[in-house]
Amino acid sequence: QCKPHGAGALAKSGGGLYNEGTGSHKTKGGHAMRLFIAIALPPDIRRAAADTAARLRAHGAEGRFVPPENYHITLRFIGESNALCEAAEAMHSAARDCRPFLLRLSDYGAFSGKSESSTGFVTVRDDQGELRRLYETLEAALWERGFDRGRSRLMPHITLGRSITGDTGFACPRNEAFTAQGMTLYESQSVRGQMAYTPLHKELFV
Ligand code: 3AM
């Protein structure tokens, strides 16, 4: 029986769709949610990232810029799932061994795919390796609860925009630091063409 943890827990399984047979929480159809776990950002860090985005635009870059209220540091993309309780339990288990830790903003960077455009972001420095350790314990805790292994490796960043062009030669060194106090499970939805991220569960580091 799933017992949700933490103050903000809603963790209530969608029911019926959990695909136990495969050992994976991926669902076929139904009302699964698109889930990811991320570090939420304090207002001053959002402002600093928004400042980098404004400078990027002033540099002449174009693309689909992310509204600052959506800025976050993705820790683990889960994908389509309705296993909210299991995700919340994995987060609770991983948070138990984690104290609040410092992260620091760094320079602008871009992931380039095959196309001309790229995803533009502020690089996040994890100098003490705490975020990486959290990522690894979370990964193990999710795996134990039947989630697929995450395919992407951890590259901490705050996405500023997608399909970005015109960012060649752009640099914006930053040094703002903040203390990561917890991690949040979000549902990601496209609402009238805009991404909306709804917090579903939060685990604090103590
Ligand atoms: O933090 P960012 O914006 O880089 O890119 C998506 C976003 O990350 C990522 O999950 C975050 C919340 O949507 N994402 C979306 N689809 C993904 C996928 N199939 C993915 N990450 C890995 N694999």
Side-chain angles (χ1 to χ4, degrees):
Q1 188 62 39
C2 171
K3 290 193 194 70
H5 305 279
L10 67 62
K12 199 168 177 299
S13 249
L17 296 171
Y18 170 37
N19 192 356
E20 277 182 285
T22 63
S24 161
H25 293 304
K26 289 237 157 95
T27 52
K28 294 189 181 81
H31 60 284
M33 298 172 167
R34 193 173 174 82
L35 302 176
F36 68 101
I37 299 168
I39 306 286
L41 303 172
D44 58 324
I45 294 297
R46 275 175 211 280
R47 274 195 295 276
D51 174 73
T52 293
R55 289 168 193 257
L56 178 59
R57 282 185 201 258
H59 180 82
E62 291 180 4
R64 288 184 287 119
F65 282 86
V66 174
E69 65 268 23
N70 277 359
Y71 289 165
H72 61 267
I73 302 167
T74 298
L75 192 53
R76 173 63 146 78
F77 176 75
I78 294 179
E80 297 293 321
S81 173
N82 51 30
L84 292 182
C85 281
E86 292 79 359
E89 282 176 358
M91 290 167 70
H92 184 71
S93 164
R96 225 172 19 216
D97 301 327
C98 192
R99 306 283 160 264
F101 57 89
L102 211 64
L103 292 172
R104 196 175 284 282
L105 301 189
S106 185
D107 210 343
Y108 176 76
F111 296 127
S112 302
K114 286 182 192 127
S115 62
E116 298 279 293
S117 68
S118 55
T119 294
F121 56 84
V122 177
T123 306
V124 174
R125 280 168 47 197
D126 169 32
D127 290 339
Q128 304 303 316
E130 307 272 15
L131 189 67
R132 169 150 300 281
R133 267 192 290 282
L134 173 63
Y135 172 76
E136 282 164 6
T137 43
L138 180 62
E139 190 63 37
L142 287 166
W143 173 248
E144 277 172 22
R145 287 162 183 82
F147 288 89
D148 288 340
R149 285 224 186 281
R151 275 169 298 156
S152 43
R153 66 189 183 89
L154 182 67
M155 211 298 224
H157 65 275
I158 302 167
T159 297
L160 300 179
R162 298 187 173 81
S163 305
I164 300 288
T165 55
D167 60 350
T168 307
F170 178 71
C172 187
R174 307 212 76 98
N175 203 29
E176 290 88 347
F178 72 102
T179 304
Q181 305 278 2
M183 61 180 148
T184 308
L185 176 68
Y186 290 96
E187 179 185 13
S188 164
Q189 286 172 298
S190 178
V191 181
R192 291 183 291 280
Q194 288 284 337
M195 295 315 291
Y197 301 143
T198 308
L200 301 179
H201 178 81
K202 184 163 188 170
E203 286 290 339
L204 292 176
F205 310 136
V206 286

